[in-house]
Amino acid sequence: MPAPGPEVLADFEAAKGFMPRGEGLALYAAATEAAALGLPLLEVGTYCGRSTILLADAARRAGVTAITVDHHRGSEEQQPGWEYHDPETVDPEIGRMDTLPTFRRTLHKAGLEDHVIAVVGRSPQVAKAWCGALGLVFIDGGHTDEHATADYEGWAPHVAEGGLLVIHDVFPDPVDIMTGQAPYRVYLRALESGAFEETAVADSLRVLRRTAPGI
């Protein structure tokens, strides 16, 4: 399985974020495979750039571009009072989350700024303006049904034939309602559509390949 070099892996593990090492390695392998199509790799849900490092390195090696989309105001479970809130990400001037500065520092430290296009905006709006095919779409944005479904409906149609759809935080157990039930339902929808088949599983990460048109 393709793996990042030790420096890239160290940058990944040092970056602020929630993706465990095992899932990161699975994402990197999927990104490396998808990059061979010669198409961009797109991530929905940048946060502070932990997973972006892996996509960017895979893109760099293949001579393609990594694109990451986020409004940088944090998803539901990252807001004040919730389990995944990090006070360091709050802009003291306006009192709202702003992960963009941390993300930019993450990419700079990893030496990957030239291999990433960062799009600041809400995923459904950006998807409506997007026209090209993608080698990989990694869905790791909001965890409500509204947001997970919008990410899937907006971006899955752009996955090229043979390209990969990767979904994070897929938890079948209802006890994980705040972190994984909506992504789980999106994952089931993708399989039931007949357009995707599962190729890899790593804890809560699911990798699916497009085998037919549709969503």
Side-chain angles (χ1 to χ4, degrees):
M1 186 170 71
E7 292 184 358
V8 172
L9 190 56
D11 288 331
F12 162 77
E13 293 186 323
K16 191 186 293 290
F18 309 104
M19 176 172 278
R21 179 187 178 115
E23 293 179 350
L25 292 174
L27 175 63
Y28 187 86
T32 300
E33 177 184 342
L37 295 175
L39 296 169
L41 314 176
L42 185 136
E43 168 185 56
V44 179
T46 312
Y47 190 53
C48 297
R50 185 176 173 95
S51 55
T52 315
I53 288 173
L54 302 177
L55 297 181
D57 185 64
R60 173 175 61 181
R61 289 189 175 193
V64 299
T65 300
I67 300 160
T68 185
V69 179
D70 200 316
H71 49 66
H72 287 281
R73 295 300 189 195
S75 54
E76 301 78 16
E77 69 277 8
Q78 294 166 355
Q79 301 305 316
W82 291 90
E83 179 181 358
Y84 294 97
H85 178 64
D86 183 346
E88 291 183 357
T89 64
V90 175
D91 181 337
E93 184 174 339
I94 65 172
R96 295 188 63 192
M97 285 184 64
D98 184 1
T99 56
L100 182 59
T102 306
F103 162 67
R104 296 203 66 178
R105 286 192 294 271
T106 297
L107 280 192
H108 176 74
K109 291 176 182 177
L112 291 166
E113 288 180 296
D114 291 343
H115 305 279
V116 177
I117 296 173
V119 181
V120 180
R122 298 194 174 273
S123 169
Q125 293 173 301
V126 179
K128 287 179 181 179
W130 188 266
C131 300
L134 298 164
L136 176 142
V137 167
F138 175 41
I139 296 179
D140 192 22
H143 291 75
T144 65
D145 281 301
E146 176 189 1
H147 292 136
T149 298
D151 290 341
Y152 176 73
E153 292 180 347
W155 292 108
H158 297 290
V159 177
E161 181 74 19
L164 299 179
L165 174 68
V166 183
I167 305 173
H168 194 214
D169 293 330
V170 175
F171 294 106
D173 192 333
V175 74
D176 295 302
I177 188 167
M178 272 306 297
T179 57
Q181 283 289 284
Y184 175 61
R185 284 187 281 272
V186 164
Y187 157 75
L188 292 179
R189 176 176 170 180
L191 289 178
E192 292 165 359
S193 72
F196 296 93
E197 64 178 18
E198 186 172 271
T199 64
V201 174
D203 295 325
S204 76
L205 192 82
R206 301 292 187 275
V207 181
L208 300 89
R209 186 188 315 282
R210 178 177 286 286
T211 56
I215 59 164

